[in-house]
Amino acid sequence: FKENRKDDIWLVDFYAPWCGHCKKLEPVWNEVGMEMRNMGSPVKVGKMDATSFSSIASEFGVRGYPTIKLLKGDLAYNYRGPRTKDDIIEFANRVAGPLIRPLPSQHMFEHVQKRHRVLFVYVGGESPLKEKYIEVASELIVYTYFFSASEDVLPEYVTLPELPAVMVFKDGTYFVYDEYEDGDLSSWINRERFQGYLHVDGFTLYELGDTGKLVAIAVIDDKNSSVEHTRLKSIIQEVARDYRDHFHRDFQFGHMDGNDYINSLLMDDLTIPTIVVLNTSNQQYFLPARHIESTEDMVQFINNILDGTAEAQGGDGLLQRIKRIIYDAKSTIFSVFKSSPLLGCFLFGLPLGVISIMCYGICTADTEGEVFEHEGAKKESGDRELTDEGSEEEQEEEKNGKYTEISDGELKQKDIVEKKKD
C-alpha cells in the first residue's frame, strides 16, 4: 500500500481494534465501500489497523481513532464531518474531483445552485486572484465546493463592480469578496462557508470554532410551539437577516434544540427558552442581563458584547479547567450509574473497597505497634527500677551505712561540745 497508493485515490479508515467508536463506524464504513463501488467511483475504500502498522499511521499524522483520510497523490485530506454514509461519500466525491469545477451554462449554474446552500464562484479569466482562489480551494475543499464561471452564465440579478471577482451565493442572495473590507481570501471563505442562520448542534459548533466568530444561539425546544420559543427563534433570524452588514464578520446566528449539550458546555443549568452567545476560541459565554423582548434588545445585547460592557463568564483559566475536570468526572460517574448500576458499583465500588481495606490494615498495624512499644517501654522501665534499687540485702546495707554515718557524726559533735565545756 505504501509503495502503490499514489497510483489511485484512497479513502482510508485508520482504526484500533479496541476502539468503541471504530466498532460503531464499521457497519457504516462497509456501506460506504459498497456504494462507492456500485456507483463506479474512482475512489478505493479501505481500512488499516493503525496499531499494527503504526509507522504508516504516524506518517499520515494519525493521532486518534477512528481517523478518516482521503489520500490523493502527495496530499492527505482529513475528514471532520459527521460519521454517516452520505456525508462520507459526499466528502470523498468532492475531494477526489477537480479543485475548481467549471459551470459552462446557465442551466448548469441553476442546477448546482439548487443542490448547494452555499456556493463559491470565481468569475473572470487568468489573474493573481484566480491563483489565490485555487490555492485556497486546495486547503478548504474538505468543507465546500469551488466553481468557476463566465459573467454571462450568472443570473441576471447579479451585478459585479469589476472583474475578476469571487462571489458566494447563499441565504437567497449573493455577496462579493472585497479585499480591502474582507481581508484575506482564505479567511473570508472560511467565514462565509456557513449560512447566516443555522440549526446548531455539537458538530456544527465545533466547526464554527475555525471561523473565529462568536455564536449567538437561541436555546429552545423545537417540539414546543409556545409563543416564547418561537419568538426567540424569530428574533435571532431577523437579526441574522436584517443586520448582516453590521454583524456578519463577528457573529454567527442559529438555534439549538434542547439544553443538554449547552449545559455540559457551560457547566451550568440554563432554563429554556433563552439566548446565549458563545466564544468558541476561549470558552467564554455571555448571557443577557435582562430578558430579550425584541430585535432591538438583541441588537443592543450584541453591541454591548462588541464594546466590552457585557460581562463574560466561563473562560479557559486555571479555575475553570479544574471546574471542568470535576464536572466531567461527576458527569461520567453519573452516566455510568444511570446506564448500568451494577457496572458502576463494580467499577467504583471495587477500588474503594480495596483502598478501605488497605487503610484499615495500615491503621490497625500502627495501633498494635504502639501497644507493643508501650509494653516494651513498661518492661524496660521496670527493669531499670530493679537495677537502680538493687536487691533487698543491698538496700539494707545502705540503710545501715546511713545510720552508721549519722551515729559517728553525733559522737563527734558531742565530743566538741564537751571540749568547749572543759
Side-chain angles (χ1 to χ4, degrees):
F1 172 77
K2 189 175 180 180
E3 296 173 355
N4 302 323
R5 72 167 186 85
K6 293 184 181 180
D7 298 336
D8 298 290
I9 301 173
W10 280 91
L11 182 66
V12 182
D13 167 29
F14 293 90
Y15 72 97
W18 43 261
C19 171
H21 294 291
C22 301
K23 294 176 181 177
K24 187 177 180 180
L25 176 64
E26 186 173 0
V28 176
W29 196 252
N30 292 335
E31 292 179 6
V32 170
M34 288 188 289
E35 185 154 336
M36 296 287 282
R37 182 179 59 190
N38 294 337
M39 64 193 300
S41 172
V43 179
K44 293 187 175 182
V45 181
K47 60 182 181 178
M48 178 178 292
D49 183 351
T51 61
S52 298
F53 303 98
S54 56
S55 60
I56 297 180
S58 178
E59 180 183 338
F60 290 117
V62 176
R63 295 187 178 88
Y65 310 113
T67 294
I68 299 173
K69 288 180 177 283
L70 188 133
L71 310 177
K72 183 180 179 182
D74 293 324
L75 300 176
Y77 296 91
N78 284 331
Y79 176 69
R80 298 172 59 183
R83 291 167 186 165
T84 63
K85 182 191 71 173
D86 293 337
D87 288 305
I88 294 173
I89 290 175
E90 185 190 7
F91 163 81
N93 290 332
R94 181 172 66 246
V95 179
L99 284 176
I100 312 297
R101 300 167 189 256
L103 299 173
S105 65
Q106 287 186 353
H107 177 73
M108 179 62 72
F109 185 94
E110 293 172 1
H111 173 72
V112 170
Q113 192 175 15
K114 289 178 181 178
R115 290 188 58 194
H116 300 280
R117 296 177 179 177
V118 179
L119 185 68
F120 290 98
V121 182
Y122 172 83
V123 183
E126 299 297 325
S127 69
L129 181 61
K130 184 175 183 179
E131 294 177 3
K132 182 64 176 177
Y133 184 71
I134 295 172
E135 180 184 339
V136 173
S138 65
E139 175 189 355
L140 300 180
I141 189 68
V142 294
Y143 300 120
T144 187
Y145 288 90
F146 293 87
F147 298 89
S148 65
S150 59
E151 191 174 8
D152 58 349
V153 170
L154 301 177
E156 295 181 357
Y157 62 82
V158 174
T159 302
L160 293 176
E162 61 179 0
L163 291 178
V166 176
M167 313 171 60
V168 58
F169 291 83
K170 66 176 186 178
D171 301 330
T173 184
Y174 69 95
F175 307 97
V176 182
Y177 166 69
D178 187 327
E179 183 178 1
Y180 297 101
E181 292 187 2
D182 300 317
D184 181 63
L185 178 62
S186 176
S187 300
W188 179 77
I189 291 177
N190 198 34
R191 291 196 305 267
E192 296 292 341
R193 64 187 176 91
F194 296 98
Q195 292 177 278
Y197 182 87
L198 297 170
H199 181 183
V200 180
D201 56 16
F203 172 75
T204 307
L205 199 58
Y206 174 77
E207 286 292 292
L208 288 171
D210 293 337
T211 66
K213 292 184 178 183
L214 300 175
V215 187
I217 304 173
V219 186
I220 62 174
D221 183 357
D222 276 338
K223 297 177 182 178
N224 192 326
S225 58
S226 65
V227 175
E228 185 66 11
H229 286 258
T230 56
R231 186 177 60 81
L232 287 183
K233 183 178 178 181
S234 299
I235 288 174
I236 295 289
Q237 288 175 328
E238 289 176 13
V239 173
R241 181 185 67 245
D242 300 337
Y243 292 84
R244 172 190 155 80
D245 293 339
H246 296 84
F247 301 135
H248 81 279
R249 288 185 177 87
D250 301 303
F251 281 84
Q252 175 66 49
F253 299 92
H255 79 275
M256 179 175 285
D257 182 20
N259 62 350
D260 291 340
Y261 183 83
I262 204 75
N263 284 346
S264 64
L265 192 67
L266 306 185
M267 296 180 288
D268 197 1
D269 190 12
L270 293 182
T271 303
I272 59 174
T274 189
I275 288 177
V276 61
V277 176
L278 303 175
N279 187 339
T280 55
S281 62
N282 60 7
Q283 299 180 14
Q284 287 184 341
Y285 63 95
F286 302 85
L287 296 173
R290 57 191 180 89
H291 197 60
I292 302 296
E293 296 287 349
S294 63
T295 303
E296 290 73 21
D297 290 341
M298 187 65 199
V299 171
Q300 182 62 48
F301 177 44
I302 293 175
N303 285 326
N304 291 341
I305 294 174
L306 290 176
D307 62 26
T309 57
E311 181 184 359
Q313 302 182 47
D316 54 1
L318 179 60
L319 292 178
Q320 284 297 121
R321 293 179 184 179
I322 295 173
K323 184 179 177 181
R324 168 62 62 185
I325 292 172
I326 297 172
Y327 181 86
D328 290 342
K330 288 170 60 179
S331 300
T332 301
I333 294 172
F334 179 77
S335 61
V336 169
F337 274 100
K338 186 176 180 180
S339 60
S340 179
L342 292 177
L343 179 61
C345 292
F346 177 78
L347 290 177
F348 299 104
L350 182 61
L352 289 174
V354 172
I355 293 172
S356 300
I357 294 172
M358 292 174 63
C359 292
Y360 176 77
I362 293 171
C363 294
T364 305
D366 290 343
T367 304
E368 292 177 352
E370 290 177 2
V371 171
F372 292 148
E373 185 178 351
H374 178 69
E375 291 180 351
K378 188 174 181 181
K379 182 178 180 182
E380 184 179 351
S381 176
D383 292 341
R384 192 183 303 114
E385 289 176 0
L386 290 174
T387 304
D388 293 341
E389 292 178 0
S391 62
E392 293 180 359
E393 294 177 356
E394 290 174 346
Q395 291 179 16
E396 188 66 29
E397 288 178 359
E398 287 181 2
K399 288 180 181 180
N400 294 335
K402 285 182 181 180
Y403 294 146
T404 305
E405 289 176 1
I406 293 171
S407 301
D408 292 341
E410 291 177 352
L411 291 173
K412 288 180 181 180
Q413 193 167 358
K414 286 181 179 180
D415 291 340
I416 293 170
V417 171
E418 289 177 356
K419 286 180 180 180
K420 284 183 178 180
K421 288 181 180 181
D422 295 339

